[in-house]
Structures are given as C-alpha cells and as structure tokens.
Amino acid sequence: MWYLGYIVAVLLAVWLIRGFAEPKTFIGFQFMVTLSWSLGFSYVLVLPFDIAWAFCRACDPSVQTCSCLPLDGIEILSVLVPTAYWTTLILGYLMNDLTRTYIESGEHTKCAKFRDALKEVSKFYVPATIVGIILLAVVLATMPEFRDLQTLKLLGRGFFNAISLLILVALLSYGLVEVPRALWNRGNIEGRMRYVKFQVALQSEALQAGRRRLDEALEQVKDTNQQLLRETGKDSEKLKEFMAGILARASSYEIEAAARGSPRAMRPAVHGGNITPPSTEESNTISRGRFGGFFGGRHGSVAPTSTPSSSSTRSAPPSGETVPITRKSLKVVHVKLKKALLNEKRSRSMYEEAVRRALKYQSIYEPSASSPPPGGVGLAPARIERDVESGSRRPERRPEVSKWKGQIQPLLYRVLSVCCIVLSLTIIWCEGTILLDGEPFNLNLSPLSLLIRWMGLGGGGAAVTLVIFVPLFYCAACTYYAFFNLRLCEGYSIHWNRHSDSSSLLFNATYACRFGSALCFNYLKLIHENETGQDGGLGFYRKAPDGSIVTSYFDQTAFGQMDNMPPPFSGDWFDDYVPLIIVLLSGCWYLNLFTVLVGFCCKCIPCLADCATQAFSFDEDFSDTRIEHGAAILVQEKRALADGVPLGSNLQLLATATTGEAPSRVTSRSESPLLPRLLTGRLTSPRSPASDDEEEAARTRNKATARAGRNVMRHNRLKDEHL
C-alpha cells in the first residue's frame, strides 16, 4: 500500500501541470517540472507509511495485538528515499536552472541557446564555487578534524539542507496564517463580491500596461531593423539573418492580433529621432544572474530607447551618434520582445478569466435593486457598491440559485477554516516547544508527538497512519500554497488556468522539489522522533522484539542525519532555534506587519510595488476606488459579450472606467499595420496623416475583421453546444 504515495504524487503533479502550463508548452519542459513536483510530493505522501511501519517493527505480537497495514516491500524505501533526495538536489541546483536560462535566451539556434545558457548559469555557479573553495581551504587549515572526506560530505550536505530549511520556515509561517484566512474569506459573500470587482480592475490595468509594453518592444524592433538595413559590414549579413528571426516572431503576433481584432495600446509608442540599439548596461538588465529578479527591477525589462519628438517625420541621424548594431544588442531586443509577447498574452487571458469569474459570481449574488436607472448605466454600479459598503444594501441570493451555493457552501468554508486554525495553532505550539526537548529541560510538550506515540503502541494501523498523515499534509499544503501564490517579480510567479510559461514553471520546480525532504525533516523534529528513551532506545519508538533500535527509513538518509555534524557545528542548536522563527514570522503575518515592510522596500525593489498596490482586505471598512472601477468595467464587458465582441477589445473604455478620462476613438492595429513595414524596411511614421480614402478603407477592413471574429466565436460556441 505504501507505493500509493508515489502514484498519488505523480497524479497530483500531472494535474497541476495541466492546470498551470500554457497550451503548447514543450512536452520535455512539462516532464521536468512534473518530475520535480512528483519527487517533492513523494516525501510527504510516503513518510506516514514509513513511520507506521516503524511502529509495526517495534510492536511485539507475543505481548499484545499488533495492527499493521499491508506494507510488503517497504524496505526498498532505504534505496528510494536517498535516490529521490540526490535527484532533487541535481534538479533543484542545476538542471532546472540551466533549462530555464536556455528558454530565456535571446539566441535562435539550439547550440547558441545552450552556449548562452551555460554562460548565464556560470555567472552564479563559478563565483559560488570559488567562494566555496576558499572557505573550504580556510576550514581545512584551521580545523584539522575536517580533513576527513566523510566529515566534509556531512558539512556540505548540512549547508545545502540548511538553505532549504530556511526557505521552508518563511513559507510555512505564511501558509499557517493565510490558509485559514483564505478559507474564512471564501465564506464572506460580501467580501467576495468586492474582491472579484477589485481583481477585474487590477487585471484591466495589467492588460493596458502589457499592451503598451508590447508596442514599445515592437517599435524598438522596427527601429533596430531600420538601422540595420542602413548598415554595411562584414557581419551585417549574419545580423540580418538574426533579425529575420526576430521579425518572424513579431509578424506572427501581428497576424494573430489582426485575426483577433486586438486594439493598439491606448498610448502609442513614441516616435522621433534615431533609435540606437541597447547599450551594455541595458543588456545586463536583461541578462541577469540566478537571483537577479529578487533584488533588481522587473526581470527582463528594458527602458524604452525611443525618445519623444515633436516632428512626425523621422530624420536621418547625424554620423557618429549611432551605435553599431551587434549580436549582443539584437539578443537584448529579442529577449525584450519575447517577454513583452508573453506578458501581453498572459495579461489578456487573465483579464478574460477575471471578467468571466466576476460575471458568474454576480449572476449568483447580486443586489436586488441592481437594475440601473434609465440614462444612468455608468453610475449604477458605483452607487450600488457604495450602498453595499455602507451596509444599506447587501448582496442577496437569487431565488433560482441553489441553497448549496447560497448557504451551505459558505458555511462549510467557515467550518473548514476553523479546523485549519486549530491545526495551525497546534503546529505553531509544537514548533515553539522543540527547544524544550533537550538539556536541561527534557520536556516533550508536543501534543502531536504524545498522541502519535500513544496510538502507535499497538502497531501502525490505518488510524495511526491517518493521524500521522493529516498534520504532515497540512504543513505541506501551507508551504506549497505560499510558494505557488508567490508574487514577487515577473517571471517568478505561476498562474492557474494555464497562464504559466515554461520559464516560470521551471523556476517554481527548482525550489518546490527541495521542500519535500525539508518538510519531512521538520516533521520528524516536530514529533520528537529522535528523543532518547529510558530503555536505551528511542523514546518515540520502543525497541524491536529482537532488541534492535527502530527508526524510520527517512531518518537514515543524508537529510535525516543532518544533525550528525562534526564539531564545532555539532549539536541541535540549528534544529532547536530555527523553528522559533516560524512562531515569530507567523505572528508578523497575522498582524500584516510585512505589508508595511513591503511599502518601505518598494523604492529599492520596484517589482514589489505591484504586490503593495494589489493589497485587498476583506474587512467591512475597506474601500478602494478600483472596486467601483471594476464594477463599471463589468457593465461594459457584459454589453460586449452580448454584442459578440471579444473581452478586452475596447481598451479605451477600460481606461475611462479606471481613470475617469473622456473616451476617444480606439485605433486598431489593422489601421496602422506594422508587419509590412517590418518586412520591407519601408518605415514611415504611423502618425503621418492619411487621405480620406485610406482612412475609409482602413475602417472598412477593421469592421470586416471584427465581424469575422464575431462569426468565428459564434461558430465555436454553436459547435461546443452541439458537442
């Protein structure tokens, strides 16, 4: 039965990759992410069977009745657990990072991408290796007891394990507080109504910003291509071949956008003087090292190189002011275009999802007097929202909605939240009392340890396995909930409903595979498995009938033997004091102290500004203008869906809803096609005035494109209904 843990781990990883990965993600990248997640989950799902089997081995059937699960062949865990541990180390510290850098490379050929990935990875690992060698030389020179190879292995494993444990402490403390809070908020109908509108406004802003950024990237591609066509040199032909690949990527988006009827960003890209290729400093902004996104600006963002100009015509730059285009500068342009395309695609999909989810929620819970007055369509949602916030009007369940969604489901969320609160408080208490296990107190105040030890006296039956599994699974759920919802910088977060690209998935898998072994090690310390007993064996287990000391197979691995460190690093100081950080951080998360800290850090870490501005509170006294903006956007998008117009098409109306500006005509991409000018090199200013006939023809093409898009949508909807 123990092998079911590995099967469930694989199935869970496959389900997650199907929910997170974008369509058409390369199957090889999906396999690497699935393997990393499976190995991380397998520790948590197999450890309860390991501990239960240890209780069975310690039970003497001649003295009492021993209840054990059928765990034939579980002895192979002594081989599988170390193998999984070393595999996760290789995946977490090398393979996933190398593959992610390969994906983010601006090169075109596979060999060039691989060479570029090796260079980027070496920027972190080579200095880290040099520093490690220097520290090793210092240790060997000053501490003769470390001149043994086995001792050095213990020291190296302890260092890598400590990194995983410290990351685990931060994530677990967040999850222990936020998981019960999130479940409680699920049962808050009024708060959920405000939250879905708030998310619609946020996603509309992200969509507008994404399209502006994409326009800037396309303009930079256009200007770089124009300058490259004017240059002549021995490497110009190779650079033009490189540029052809960049133009092909841009043209594929133009064709897709024209078929979709996607509008331009509301603020057109700036035109003017000559556009020089990115400098070396800008290249370093793109090509960061391993942890650049955490401590720098937006990952992969480059400041626009175009400068505003009052003239609509492009003048030739004076000689000597242009920087010759190199392959490195083309790589920077290519990376910027790739990032902008991914960002626009993800923002568009997430905006559509947010709108549909909000409309679905509104169809279930909506104020009874939600019908807007004649001539006041745009004002009704804001007025209703103010009434809801003031308490004079509350969302009510429609008569046709089932009682399950209106009453039972919110109540179940609240009950589940209370259960999670009890588990969180129990785990925090157990973490804080680990310190009292050793000298001079020798106290075991962990209720989980006492309960599991008492139930395990009769062997490791189904009840014992379940009691072991529930707290461990809850700790794992809190940790992975915190990590999967991490929103630090672009490129380091994944999004549900197939909105995550390969690079983000690999970054997540790089760290997620390390948490399984760290969770199990922390859990074994939580239940005091290595506590010394009065009979000379372990206090958690009794001695086996043959007199041997019983331990779990996981405790025999390199990670389980982490505390067996040579002096002066020996002792349980790390294992005893680090759990206290969980208690401290949990209190900070509960009091929302880190929100204030993020506000102070926004100036130093620009990518944290998004996290600070996206803060939402389910408190009744919380108010934000974006809630009213989201309500106004929903009114407009509901009309658009009724007319068969794709969501997010009219960005100018979205800008009116979020900024209060007067609406103006939206310019479609088809009115100023960039593709012909990119491919032919005949670049004219899109701001130059066109004749009346050309404008009429452009409007006709635009209407035809929109009509064709609506017809395709209707055809697909009818086809789905037929199927």
Side-chain angles (χ1 to χ4, degrees):
M1 182 177 287
W2 59 273
Y3 55 85
L4 291 177
Y6 287 103
I7 296 176
V8 173
V10 174
L11 294 178
L12 180 59
V14 171
W15 175 69
L16 288 175
I17 199 67
R18 292 289 297 172
F20 281 109
E22 287 182 340
K24 300 181 181 180
T25 302
F26 180 55
I27 189 65
F29 301 149
Q30 294 190 43
F31 173 77
M32 292 188 64
V33 177
T34 303
L35 177 62
S36 302
W37 284 347
S38 301
L39 292 175
F41 300 155
S42 64
Y43 292 102
V44 177
L45 297 174
V46 172
L47 181 62
F49 298 103
D50 188 6
I51 298 176
W53 180 245
F55 279 121
C56 291
R57 284 180 290 158
C59 184
D60 190 355
S62 61
V63 178
Q64 62 186 37
T65 303
C66 297
S67 174
C68 297
L69 292 174
L71 301 174
D72 299 335
I74 196 174
E75 295 83 4
I76 199 176
L77 283 181
S78 59
V79 178
L80 292 179
V81 172
T83 302
Y85 173 70
W86 290 110
T87 305
T88 54
L89 281 183
I90 295 174
L91 288 172
Y93 284 98
L94 182 59
M95 292 303 299
N96 287 343
D97 268 348
L98 183 63
T99 308
R100 181 170 58 87
T101 312
Y102 174 87
I103 296 172
E104 295 177 350
S105 174
E107 295 284 354
H108 283 292
T109 62
K110 294 181 179 179
C111 294
K113 285 184 177 181
F114 185 71
R115 289 194 301 267
D116 194 37
L118 288 177
K119 291 179 182 178
E120 290 300 321
V121 171
S122 63
K123 291 180 181 179
F124 171 80
Y125 286 104
V126 171
T129 303
I130 294 175
V131 173
I133 293 175
I134 294 175
L135 292 177
L136 180 62
V138 172
V139 169
L140 293 178
T142 57
M143 302 178 183
E145 60 271 16
F146 280 90
R147 295 174 183 175
D148 181 24
L149 181 60
Q150 187 64 26
T151 305
L152 290 177
K153 288 182 178 179
L154 287 175
L155 182 62
R157 286 199 298 262
F159 173 75
F160 288 110
N161 296 338
I163 295 176
S164 301
L165 282 173
L166 290 175
I167 299 176
L168 172 68
V169 164
L171 296 175
L172 180 58
S173 60
Y174 175 84
L176 290 174
V177 174
E178 290 302 322
V179 167
R181 182 180 289 172
L183 291 173
W184 183 268
N185 292 333
R186 283 276 183 176
N188 185 353
I189 298 176
E190 297 86 352
R192 293 294 297 179
M193 283 290 297
R194 298 195 306 270
Y195 177 73
V196 294
K197 297 173 183 177
F198 184 83
Q199 284 296 315
V200 167
L202 284 182
Q203 294 302 329
S204 70
E205 295 172 359
L207 178 58
Q208 297 171 53
R211 289 183 175 171
R212 291 191 186 101
R213 177 179 172 185
L214 179 57
D215 272 351
E216 293 173 357
L218 290 174
E219 287 296 322
Q220 187 172 358
V221 170
K222 176 192 66 177
D223 295 321
T224 305
N225 179 58
Q226 182 188 26
Q227 182 177 345
L228 185 60
L229 290 175
R230 294 196 303 263
E231 292 185 359
T232 58
K234 59 180 181 179
D235 295 333
S236 60
E237 295 301 325
K238 294 182 179 180
L239 294 179
K240 289 177 182 178
E241 292 179 3
F242 195 159
M243 192 67 196
I246 302 177
L247 295 177
R249 184 181 294 272
S251 63
S252 63
Y253 170 77
E254 288 288 332
I255 295 173
E256 179 186 355
R260 189 173 61 243
S262 176
R264 262 191 186 273
M266 294 172 304
R267 181 181 60 82
V270 183
H271 302 276
N274 175 61
I275 308 302
T276 58
S279 61
T280 304
E281 183 178 350
E282 291 173 343
S283 174
N284 293 335
T285 308
I286 287 288
S287 305
R288 292 200 181 96
R290 177 181 173 86
F291 297 104
F294 285 107
F295 304 105
R298 282 189 177 274
H299 181 71
S301 62
V302 177
T305 56
S306 55
T307 56
S309 174
S310 58
S311 175
S312 61
T313 60
R314 189 178 302 276
S315 59
S319 59
E321 293 187 5
T322 60
V323 179
I325 293 179
T326 61
R327 189 175 185 86
K328 186 175 183 180
S329 62
L330 289 183
K331 285 169 53 179
V332 175
V333 172
H334 191 198
V335 171
K336 181 177 181 180
L337 178 63
K338 289 169 59 177
K339 294 285 186 181
L341 288 172
L342 286 174
N343 184 54
E344 194 274 341
K345 181 181 178 181
R346 179 173 56 248
S347 301
R348 172 163 39 86
S349 301
M350 294 182 65
Y351 172 76
E352 294 177 2
E353 180 190 356
V355 170
R356 295 184 187 279
R357 181 173 61 247
L359 291 177
K360 180 180 178 180
Y361 210 85
Q362 272 190 336
S363 66
I364 300 175
Y365 307 106
E366 196 174 40
S368 56
S370 60
S371 300
V377 177
L379 300 177
R383 185 182 300 115
I384 293 173
E385 189 63 40
R386 288 194 298 268
D387 293 343
V388 171
E389 292 179 357
S390 63
S392 59
R393 187 194 303 269
R394 301 177 67 85
E396 301 173 359
R397 180 169 56 91
R398 290 172 175 263
E400 64 272 14
V401 177
S402 62
K403 189 177 181 180
W404 164 258
K405 288 185 176 293
Q407 299 180 7
I408 301 178
Q409 194 178 53
L411 180 61
L412 288 179
Y413 277 126
R414 294 294 174 89
V415 173
L416 186 59
S417 175
V418 172
C419 296
C420 291
I421 291 174
V422 174
L423 276 174
S424 294
L425 292 176
T426 303
I427 292 172
I428 292 174
W429 170 265
C430 294
E431 296 282 2
T433 56
I434 290 178
L435 181 64
L436 304 178
D437 182 34
E439 297 291 341
F441 303 102
N442 294 322
L443 295 176
N444 183 359
L445 300 181
S446 171
L448 292 177
S449 175
L450 299 176
L451 176 62
I452 294 173
R453 181 189 301 181
W454 174 73
M455 296 184 64
L457 295 176
V464 177
T465 306
L466 181 63
V467 172
I468 298 171
F469 175 77
V470 170
L472 177 59
F473 179 80
Y474 181 70
C475 289
C478 292
T479 302
Y480 286 108
Y481 171 84
F483 189 61
F484 280 33
N485 286 277
L486 191 64
R487 301 288 182 267
L488 279 180
C489 301
E490 181 186 349
Y492 297 110
S493 59
I494 59 177
H495 305 274
W496 185 249
N497 205 5
R498 313 194 74 177
H499 297 320
S500 307
D501 58 278
S502 302
S503 178
S504 301
L505 290 171
L506 285 168
F507 175 81
N508 182 277
T510 299
Y511 293 91
C513 63
R514 309 180 196 176
F515 297 148
S517 54
L519 277 166
C520 294
F521 178 80
N522 178 72
Y523 188 73
L524 292 178
K525 300 294 295 184
L526 199 74
I527 61 177
H528 301 266
E529 188 203 31
N530 292 326
E531 181 184 1
T532 305
Q534 298 179 356
D535 57 354
L538 296 179
F540 191 72
Y541 309 106
R542 293 180 300 179
K543 280 190 174 182
D546 57 359
S548 60
I549 297 178
V550 177
T551 60
S552 61
Y553 292 116
F554 186 90
D555 190 61
Q556 303 170 16
T557 63
F559 204 103
Q561 296 295 325
M562 177 182 168
D563 4 14
N564 296 337
M565 297 286 291
F569 304 104
S570 58
D572 296 336
W573 61 271
F574 186 85
D575 311 332
D576 293 341
Y577 289 99
V578 168
L580 292 178
I581 303 178
I582 297 180
V583 181
L584 177 63
L585 293 181
S586 298
C588 294
W589 287 119
Y590 177 75
L591 298 175
N592 293 322
L593 297 181
F594 287 106
T595 304
V596 181
L597 180 62
V598 169
F600 285 113
C601 296
C602 286
K603 295 182 180 180
C604 301
I605 309 177
C607 60
L608 291 181
D610 295 340
C611 303
T613 57
Q614 294 181 12
F616 178 84
S617 175
F618 282 84
D619 297 337
E620 294 183 358
D621 57 348
F622 175 79
S623 61
D624 195 295
T625 56
R626 284 170 289 189
I627 298 176
E628 298 181 1
H629 297 162
I633 291 173
L634 288 177
V635 173
Q636 303 293 345
E637 294 293 10
K638 193 172 183 180
R639 289 179 176 177
L641 286 176
D643 296 337
V645 179
L647 292 175
S649 296
N650 200 337
L651 278 184
Q652 198 71 20
L653 290 180
L654 298 187
T656 304
T658 55
T659 63
E661 299 174 355
S664 61
R665 190 176 68 89
V666 181
T667 304
S668 174
R669 283 192 185 275
S670 58
E671 296 182 37
S672 181
L674 185 61
L675 173 60
R677 296 181 288 122
L678 284 172
L679 298 181
T680 61
R682 294 191 295 269
L683 302 174
T684 58
S685 174
R687 290 189 178 183
S688 59
S691 63
D692 296 338
D693 296 337
E694 291 176 347
E695 289 182 356
E696 184 64 25
R699 283 193 291 268
T700 303
R701 289 194 302 268
N702 189 24
K703 292 179 181 178
T705 301
R707 190 182 305 111
R710 290 193 295 269
N711 292 336
V712 170
M713 293 180 60
R714 292 192 185 103
H715 172 74
N716 292 336
R717 183 165 60 250
L718 292 174
K719 184 178 179 181
D720 293 340
E721 293 175 356
H722 175 70
L723 293 176

